[in-house]
Amino acid sequence: ANRIIRSEAELDNLLPVIMDYILYIANTDMGSIMIKKDEQFVTKVHSNFPGKILKYYRFQNGECIADHVIKTHDIVYIDNYSENPAVEPNPRVLLDYYICLPVVIKNDLLAVINIAQKYGNTKLKLTQEDIMTFDAIASLIGTAIYNAILYQETLLKQRQDEELRVANEIQVKLLPRVIPALNQAKLGAISLPAKDIGCDYYDFIELDNGNVGIIIAEYRDWE
């Protein structure tokens, strides 16, 4: 499990590997992985389990099962789903069982894994040992997802740093390298950005009548 999960560093490549591995262990083909993004959980990868049908899997009190797991960080396993009195019946997809598995690292919920098996499937049912196995694998999955997110953030920062470097070079090249000399006055100019790049601009234009035009500009975002 550790070797498979660590086979990919990028999150978009890692999640399908995790999905295939989980479905293999569960001996089913229905599942999805929801990833936390901007305090919301969105479905990033699924197999016969699109995110829009999650809202139909609810407890009798109307609470979505996935929302319950997001709130409590507790694993939910519902056996005999189609006949279980704890949940609302789902006429769209009849299920034998449904598992909602939280992926938690450092008390932070990173992902939610949904696993289900259609009603009437002749495949072996899950045992309590299987549920314990999923719970143990969740920690490995959490570490892999956490590392992949850090890797993604590192790549993003490197890309942003490179873009800022290029923008800084462009800005420096836009500023005049030679300051004209005048008999009546001495001119000087300097630009020191408060951050990586600045929004100020200056230039000198030698006019036909021997005078020098001076441009000083500042960018302001008025919105």
Side-chain angles (χ1 to χ4, degrees):
N2 191 45
R3 185 173 65 252
I4 293 174
I5 291 171
R6 294 178 182 277
S7 62
E8 290 288 349
E10 293 197 21
L11 187 63
D12 289 343
N13 296 331
L14 173 67
L15 292 179
V17 174
I18 293 176
M19 187 80 270
D20 290 343
Y21 180 63
I22 288 292
L23 294 180
Y24 172 77
I25 295 177
N27 199 21
T28 185
D29 61 355
M30 288 186 64
S32 73
I33 300 178
M34 305 165 65
I35 294 293
K36 185 177 181 180
K37 182 179 181 182
D38 299 328
E39 301 305 319
Q40 299 291 327
F41 284 82
V42 296
T43 299
K44 291 289 290 184
V45 63
H46 76 89
S47 174
N48 304 312
F49 204 102
K52 64 182 180 181
I53 71 173
L54 285 173
K55 63 181 180 180
Y56 299 117
Y57 294 122
R58 299 176 177 269
F59 290 109
Q60 284 289 356
N61 63 6
E63 183 180 32
C64 289
I65 297 173
D67 289 341
H68 175 79
V69 171
I70 291 171
K71 180 176 66 178
T72 64
H73 295 190
D74 293 330
I75 184 173
V76 171
Y77 172 48
I78 301 174
D79 198 8
N80 299 316
Y81 190 98
S82 298
E83 302 174 2
N84 196 309
V87 296
E88 292 181 353
N90 184 355
R92 289 172 174 77
V93 183
L94 297 178
L95 300 179
D96 268 342
Y97 70 75
Y98 175 61
I99 303 172
C100 198
L101 182 68
V103 178
V104 180
I105 289 291
K106 299 179 181 180
N107 296 321
D108 186 22
L109 184 66
L110 298 181
V112 174
I113 299 176
N114 300 281
I115 309 165
Q117 189 174 92
K118 288 184 179 179
Y119 179 79
N121 202 304
T122 58
K123 296 178 180 178
L124 294 176
K125 305 295 183 181
L126 294 181
T127 65
Q128 190 60 37
E129 288 77 12
D130 293 327
I131 305 304
M132 293 173 62
T133 299
F134 284 126
D135 201 20
I137 290 176
S139 62
L140 289 174
I141 292 174
T143 300
I145 291 177
Y146 180 76
N147 290 337
I149 291 174
L150 288 182
Y151 177 73
Q152 193 174 54
E153 291 176 350
T154 299
L155 291 181
L156 178 60
K157 187 177 185 308
Q158 289 175 347
R159 188 159 54 246
Q160 290 174 338
D161 289 345
E162 177 63 17
E163 290 174 354
L164 286 174
R165 185 190 65 78
V166 173
N168 179 263
E169 289 182 356
I170 293 174
Q171 183 186 33
V172 170
K173 290 179 179 178
L174 287 175
L175 299 177
R177 297 187 178 184
V178 178
I179 296 177
L182 299 178
N183 295 327
Q184 304 91 339
K186 186 182 230 180
L187 300 179
I190 188 172
S191 176
L192 298 175
K195 298 182 179 180
D196 296 295
I197 59 174
C199 299
D200 300 332
Y201 173 77
Y202 65 86
D203 200 359
F204 303 96
I205 303 175
E206 297 188 24
L207 305 176
D208 293 338
N209 59 7
N211 293 331
V212 174
I214 301 175
I215 299 173
I216 301 176
E218 179 184 11
Y219 170 78
R220 286 177 179 257
D221 187 355
W222 295 104
E223 295 184 352

